[in-house]
Amino acid sequence: MEAARESMAALVDAGLYDCAQTLGCFLVSSSPASSEAGMSMKVESLVLHGDALHGEKEFRRALSAYKQAMQYSKNIPRQATSNTRSSVTATGRSPSPNSSSLAPLNENEVKFKIALCYSALREHREALQEMEGIPSKARTLKMNLMLGKLYRISRNNRAAAVCYKECLRQCPYVFEAITALAEMGLSSKEFSLIFSQAPNRGGKAPGDSLDAQRWWNRYVEAQCCIASHDYKGGLDIYLDLMQRFLNNVHILLEIAKVEAIIGRNDEAIMNFEKARLIDPNIMTYMDEYAILLKSKSDYTKLNKLVHDMLHIDPARPETCLALAALWERKDERKALTYAEKSLRVDDRHITGYIMKGNLHLLLNRPDLAVTDFRGAQELRADLRSYQGLVRAYLALSKCKDALFTAREAMKVMHQSAKALKLVGDVHAISSSGREKARKFYESAIRLEPGFLGAALALADLHVAEGRNKDAVLLLERYLRQWADDSLHIKLAQVFAATNMLSDALSHYQSALRINPHNEAAKKGLERLEKQMKGVDPDAPEEDEENEADDVDGDQDDAELLHGNWKTSDDDGCLSLTAMIRYVRYV
């Protein structure tokens, strides 16, 4: 059967796992392993069979094959085992789930494969036990990276940091380790020290090494800034790196992701589109792009994006979330099933938790939304998870918890105008807290003069306290600098509330000229037209249900089946007016 084993190894190397695992059934059942040679061949066949099953993603069967191989290996006399280990060390090649060899058993490699199977089955504790059974000196780069992930999942950050640092000592360009260490608080200086300890591969000239370290250090600094919520600092460094590495898809995506988090939606959309022009098959962060398109009600682009993603890889969590974004306007429950599916594919996908939390809020389940946003925070706290938690607590009338969360966001992101505004949003809910809210909004505007969200929230506050003229002056001042559809909509709402209907009409039309897809402007215009005709805009229509059915049949129709009020800012926080409407709606 030696020729068959060689053929099976070739099949596994070629990625023909289906054929390999069928052949493996013949090999592992061929003859009883009585002699030393027979047992060694049995072990080899079982490992190869495990590799084939792993390649077919039959992880439970692969586990069984690997464990049988380990058990048979224990029955081989010690002298033969010693010779086996020497042979593997001499060859320098070890089997992996995607690569097989007829070299005798390397127990550490098989333990690693067993851990990979456990991890794929999300049995992380068992995976960690297997990995800890591999001596530290015997761990390869991929083993250290795997162990770092498992320690992090088990929340043993100290042990995880040791593994990630070892990865960078072996190869400084393990970007996953860089991101993880930055999130665990490693400083730029500590990163530089690790880089200096990395081997100089290929005998590169000192100048080449210095040049590599310069841009590497800048990349690390950007990661450290973003991990510490200094989004502006990280963004500036990324933009600087783009001058050196033109059309770098990874940097473009990182820039767009940060811009989406801090509410620079137009800029984020532009950079996502640039990345797609360079690489139309990119999937990374495309769920973030889909969510932005949904927020802009640009369903034409969103439909195209979802179609492309389904063609590229329908099983990715990003594809599931893009589908959730597409379905949200028509069927929030179906959208929720796609968000849940994304987390079944990858239970550490942060955007999945954020999307799921927002959908639970829309479905009047703020209790479940709290769990979702906390799940996101456990993986990596960012502005959106804090915002979601505040909204959920307010919907549950847990104002103290909302205020505590908003203050925590402000402490963590002390240079963030968005965090200041979040505290203001909580105070603005009660009439007694409006003065405090005003101070927080004004502080946010001073910190970031171009932050339209704070200006819109302050305008809401002026309206709530009857200072409509102050609201108009504030919004008009911003309009002189920023031609933004949300400013026009807010002005239109203020004018409509004070019965200045022609002015309201003008601003709704201006909003639609800027963004023809803006649903808030369309709905506001419909209400305004009824007001101008003397009809109560809140009176129910007799054929409302039939209209909804028509909408459900047309994906490209701009009408929404459910209420979708415009928030006071671009980053997801509800304004005072929108919050009141939201609570009434749910």
Side-chain angles (χ1 to χ4, degrees):
M1 298 295 285
E2 185 64 30
R5 265 188 298 278
E6 290 179 2
S7 295
M8 186 173 176
L11 288 171
V12 172
D13 280 339
L16 301 175
Y17 302 118
D18 184 39
C19 297
Q21 68 106 351
T22 303
L23 178 57
C25 291
F26 288 92
L27 286 174
V28 299
S29 62
S30 59
S31 59
S34 54
S35 64
E36 286 181 18
M39 283 191 288
S40 294
M41 286 188 287
K42 186 80 169 180
V43 168
E44 291 173 17
S45 298
L46 283 165
V47 172
L48 284 168
H49 196 212
D51 291 346
L53 292 166
H54 187 286
E56 285 283 280
K57 301 188 186 304
E58 294 192 47
F59 302 115
R60 193 69 68 185
R61 291 181 69 196
L63 259 178
S64 177
Y66 290 139
K67 286 184 175 181
Q68 285 183 62
M70 292 289 282
Q71 191 63 40
Y72 274 108
S73 178
K74 290 177 183 177
N75 296 326
I76 299 175
R78 186 172 298 177
Q79 185 178 357
T81 305
S82 176
N83 292 336
T84 292
R85 287 173 181 165
S86 300
S87 174
V88 171
T89 305
T91 60
R93 183 185 175 192
S94 301
S96 70
N98 297 318
S99 169
S100 297
S101 167
L102 291 177
L105 182 74
N106 181 326
E107 289 186 6
N108 292 329
E109 280 288 344
V110 177
K111 286 179 181 178
F112 175 60
K113 293 176 181 184
I114 290 172
L116 285 175
C117 290
Y118 275 130
S119 183
L121 294 165
R122 298 186 185 178
E123 296 174 10
H124 301 303
R125 183 179 298 176
E126 291 81 357
L128 184 58
Q129 288 175 350
E130 288 293 332
M131 291 301 301
E132 287 180 331
I134 300 174
S136 58
K137 291 182 179 180
R139 291 174 195 154
T140 61
L141 177 60
K142 62 184 178 181
M143 290 178 183
N144 276 311
L145 186 60
M146 176 72 171
L147 191 54
K149 291 180 187 176
L150 292 170
Y151 276 132
R152 202 166 183 212
I153 290 170
S154 67
R155 300 183 184 179
N156 187 346
N157 282 350
R158 180 175 295 181
V162 171
C163 294
Y164 285 130
K165 287 177 182 178
E166 185 57 34
C167 287
L168 295 182
R169 289 190 187 98
Q170 291 176 276
C171 175
Y173 302 108
V174 183
F175 292 100
E176 186 177 341
I178 293 172
T179 302
L181 287 168
E183 289 172 356
M184 286 187 276
L186 200 73
S187 69
S188 299
K189 289 183 179 179
E190 290 174 292
F191 272 109
S192 296
L193 181 61
I194 294 171
F195 188 94
S196 66
Q197 296 170 348
N200 184 4
R201 298 183 185 276
K204 300 293 182 183
D208 290 343
S209 179
L210 284 173
D211 179 63
Q213 186 166 5
R214 286 192 195 98
W215 70 257
W216 187 89
N217 282 338
R218 292 293 283 164
Y219 180 84
V220 164
E221 286 171 19
Q223 288 289 321
C224 290
C225 285
I226 291 164
S228 62
H229 307 287
D230 179 9
Y231 297 113
K232 185 180 182 303
L235 207 52
D236 289 343
I237 296 171
Y238 277 141
L239 291 169
D240 183 49
L241 281 171
M242 279 298 294
Q243 301 300 312
R244 165 77 188 276
F245 300 98
L246 298 174
N247 296 329
N248 184 312
V249 172
H250 174 72
I251 298 295
L252 263 177
L253 291 172
E254 291 297 315
I255 289 170
K257 172 75 180 294
V258 175
E259 287 172 335
I261 289 174
I262 64 178
R264 296 184 184 177
N265 293 353
D266 292 334
E267 294 91 335
I269 287 172
M270 180 183 70
N271 283 312
F272 278 131
E273 289 174 351
K274 280 183 182 177
R276 273 174 56 80
L277 281 173
I278 298 167
D279 185 352
N281 297 310
I282 194 76
M283 292 290 283
T284 306
Y285 298 157
M286 286 300 105
D287 48 350
E288 302 281 356
Y289 178 40
I291 292 168
L292 288 175
L293 292 176
K294 186 261 301 178
S295 72
K296 290 287 186 179
S297 301
D298 195 341
Y299 291 104
T300 302
K301 284 185 179 179
L302 181 55
N303 266 300
K304 175 68 167 59
L305 175 65
V306 170
H307 177 272
D308 291 346
M309 293 175 74
L310 285 168
H311 179 71
I312 297 164
D313 190 349
R316 286 276 292 250
E318 294 91 341
T319 305
C320 298
L321 290 174
L323 281 163
L326 183 62
W327 273 100
E328 183 179 327
R329 66 172 176 150
K330 294 184 175 184
D331 188 338
E332 290 150 353
R333 293 188 183 279
K334 186 159 187 174
L336 182 60
T337 63
Y338 280 115
E340 289 170 340
K341 184 179 178 181
S342 76
L343 293 173
R344 287 196 298 272
V345 175
D346 181 1
D347 61 356
R348 297 183 66 78
H349 194 71
I350 295 171
T351 312
Y353 288 100
I354 299 290
M355 169 72 88
K356 194 177 166 197
N358 286 327
L359 287 167
H360 273 139
L361 282 175
L362 289 173
L363 291 165
N364 192 19
R365 293 305 307 269
D367 52 332
L368 296 178
V370 167
T371 303
D372 297 327
F373 291 123
R374 281 179 177 167
Q377 282 203 323
E378 285 179 6
L379 294 172
R380 185 179 67 246
D382 65 24
L383 188 62
R384 296 172 304 175
S385 58
Y386 282 114
Q387 290 167 342
L389 269 177
V390 167
R391 290 174 59 198
Y393 283 135
L394 289 177
L396 290 165
S397 300
K398 293 184 176 181
C399 293
K400 287 185 178 179
D401 290 330
L403 187 58
F404 176 82
T405 303
R407 284 174 173 168
E408 183 184 336
M410 191 174 68
K411 289 176 183 176
V412 171
M413 296 171 272
H414 55 278
Q415 291 297 318
S416 170
K418 308 292 188 301
L420 284 170
K421 180 195 169 293
L422 197 56
V423 180
D425 288 339
V426 180
H427 285 302
I429 291 299
S430 64
S431 57
S432 60
R434 287 175 184 167
E435 182 58 27
K436 288 183 180 179
R438 182 183 63 79
K439 291 179 180 177
F440 277 103
Y441 292 150
E442 290 174 347
S443 295
I445 290 171
R446 283 195 297 272
L447 183 62
E448 189 180 329
F451 181 20
L452 300 183
L456 293 166
L458 186 56
D460 273 336
L461 204 59
H462 286 322
V463 171
E465 295 186 328
R467 298 193 301 270
N468 291 354
K469 186 177 180 180
D470 289 342
V472 170
L473 290 172
L474 173 67
L475 294 167
E476 286 179 339
R477 187 174 80 239
Y478 267 80
L479 265 178
R480 285 193 288 271
Q481 298 178 14
W482 289 277
D484 187 89
D485 52 338
S486 62
L487 290 171
H488 282 291
I489 290 169
K490 188 60 64 181
L491 262 172
Q493 290 169 349
V494 176
F495 283 131
T498 54
N499 213 34
M500 299 174 68
L501 303 186
S502 61
D503 290 317
L505 178 63
S506 173
H507 282 287
Y508 276 132
Q509 290 171 339
S510 295
L512 287 171
R513 279 195 294 273
I514 294 170
N515 180 9
H517 305 290
N518 193 305
E519 292 294 337
K522 291 177 182 179
K523 286 184 174 293
L525 200 54
E526 288 175 9
R527 288 177 57 84
L528 186 64
E529 287 172 353
K530 291 177 182 178
Q531 282 181 263
M532 296 176 84
K533 293 175 182 178
V535 178
D536 182 1
D538 296 314
E541 296 181 9
E542 292 181 5
D543 58 346
E544 186 174 345
E545 290 185 5
N546 292 332
E547 289 179 5
D549 288 340
D550 291 339
V551 173
D552 193 56
D554 183 3
Q555 281 200 357
D556 293 323
D557 196 337
E559 290 293 322
L560 296 175
L561 285 178
H562 303 284
N564 184 20
W565 299 287
K566 178 72 176 178
T567 55
S568 68
D569 55 8
D570 295 328
D571 56 27
C573 290
L574 291 177
S575 68
L576 177 62
T577 306
M579 178 60 74
I580 292 169
R581 288 177 178 174
Y582 171 75
V583 172
R584 285 177 181 169
Y585 173 70
V586 299

